[in-house]
Amino acid sequence: MSIRLTRRAALISSAAGAAALPATGWAQTAANDIASLAEQVDAFVRRAMAAFPDQPAVSIAVVKDGQPILTRGYGVRSVGGSAVDEHTLFAIASNTKAVTCAALSILIDEGKVKWDEPVRTYLPEFRLSKPELNGLVTVRDLVSHRIGFGLGAGDLLFWPNGNRTRAEIMAAIPNVPIEDSFRTSYHYCNLMFVAAGEVVAAASGMAWEDFVQTRILTPLGMTETLPLMTGADPAKSALPNGRIGPPLRYQGPMQTIGQSIQEVWDWSAAGAAGGFVTNPVDWAKWIAVQLNKGALPDGSRLWSEARANEMWRPNIIVSSSGGPTPDAPGRAIAATYATGWQVMDYRGERFITHGGGAPGYISGTVLLPSRNAGFSFFTNAEEGQLTRALRSGIADILMGKVGFDWIADGVRLTQEGNAKSLEAAAEIDAKQAAGAPPSLPLEAYAGTWRDPWYGDIEISIASPRVRAPRGGPRPTTRLHLDFTRTNALKGPLEPYDGDSFRTRFPDKREEDVMITFKVENGVAVSATMKAVSPDADFSYDYQDLRLTKA
């Protein structure tokens, strides 16, 4: 644990001399204020964890006026496990994106990259499924979620853990469908951050992870942070936890779902989109350099103030609304995406933030420039309303806002969401029970089904589990589905309704898929997919697959 005052503030009077009584009083007031903020945040986190008792661990960093005032771990590494502390490692997923944009900013300061230069300047082979965009997409577009890809498009190339290299991911990009117009709408896209990491590599001559280690982590003294999760020591890590049913993912009892971070989260090939593993002690240094716009305590810089301002400048509108209401006091009038950060208004002030989600982990970072303050929260489960409460509740403390109970609101929304999910699960099962039989023999659906960007999905006749008794009926024919490049997505395929089938993957950490075949003249000629559960994470982008028989 570390709750500490800002020594710089507390010791101002020493430098001014004994006669500087007004400065002494000011410094003591500032120190008291900072201690009060730390105590308030600490009490809030404890209350939040009490309200969400299944949450194994939360880890917090709070920075004020360039100094960490609170870095602490709460709870346990896994269900029933040992305690975390401020040095315990967490996967922070998409919080990595701001680091990738900082790496690009460093290269821009050095004249090696330009935000508004076409990507093909640095990656000549870069191509998209809309050829007219090939020469138009810029480096800024890559990191702004505005090219036109659908939400999570292409994520199945590396989610859940796959076996592709970065080169293979890049080679698949020309076939990933683009569903919207260029630069008109926001659609979150991990895939283009993989490409952004390759721009870093091409311009610097170093792999993305080597560049951020050398040019960002080492100068900041972030000695415990890893750019790729594959190096995380399980003994020093908060392990992933989650609810894996029944009846659906995100329902059922909380349980540990992996014995290491990388067991559930190996994005080493997509590191620039979500590779980081860190702890609050180290991440506080990242928050501080962000608030200081690239400047280090010794006066040197990682990136220029101009680049810092540019990273916080909006590039695309995410959403807009009528603004705060009594029931939603934090609702933004306008939320935007900048360059690795989401920028919005929150209670009348600029609010710069990014979140991260991985199986068994949710995290977030918040910067409040007008308060010269920022904070982060790391968790090792998937309790989304808890992390919402942490994000807004800690911000309110730092901003001096009172009057709304984010914790109670989160508990209420969790209960309402659970009820809706259970109702949806019952409807899914009821529809299958009442479903029509397949229009073709099961053997007619078997074969190699190919998608232009994912590759092959094998559907085969499963071997009978038991032998038929002599003279008795043959065992029931069963189908088996195999996503050939994703080890966890393999399992039995059941008739659902007509020419629609659903999986029941043995690995309950994964989301089941519904596959619907198009039948013409008695032949299955193509197929589409979608997640079975309405609560499925968007990175299971089954809906982007367009399968034809190989």
Side-chain angles (χ1 to χ4, degrees), residues 369-431:
S370 64
R371 305 278 174 166
N372 199 20
F375 63 93
S376 63
F377 51 88
F378 307 150
T379 74
N380 62 338
E382 302 156 336
E383 306 290 82
Q385 292 300 332
L386 167 64
T387 55
R388 172 180 175 267
L390 292 172
R391 175 180 176 269
S392 297
I394 296 174
D396 282 1
I397 291 170
L398 295 176
M399 297 169 67
K401 306 293 185 181
V402 295
F404 192 82
D405 191 339
W406 293 103
I407 296 172
D409 195 55
V411 171
R412 175 184 64 82
L413 291 173
T414 297
Q415 293 169 346
E416 292 177 359
N418 287 344
K420 292 178 181 178
S421 294
L422 292 173
E423 182 179 346
E427 290 177 359
I428 291 167
D429 290 343
K431 187 171 182 179

Side-chain angles (χ1 to χ4, degrees), residues 82-132:
S82 58
V84 300
D85 62 22
E86 68 271 27
H87 296 284
T88 304
L89 296 173
F90 288 74
I92 64 166
S94 288
N95 287 279
T96 306
K97 289 179 170 66
V99 182
T100 296
C101 292
L104 288 165
S105 294
I106 291 170
L107 291 167
I108 290 168
D109 278 336
E110 294 175 350
K112 297 178 180 179
V113 174
K114 294 181 180 179
W115 281 127
D116 297 313
E117 189 74 14
V119 174
R120 283 184 141 185
T121 303
Y122 315 102
L123 304 175
E125 301 302 315
F126 180 79
R127 293 184 297 116
L128 298 169
S129 60
K130 288 186 175 181
E132 64 271 22

Side-chain angles (χ1 to χ4, degrees), residues 174-206:
N175 295 312
V176 178
I178 295 175
E179 67 175 31
D180 208 343
S181 300
F182 184 45
R183 294 179 184 162
T184 60
S185 301
Y186 168 87
H187 301 285
Y188 196 83
C189 184
N190 289 303
L191 184 61
M192 290 297 96
F193 268 84
V194 178
E198 291 303 277
V199 172
V200 171
S204 69
M206 304 168 66

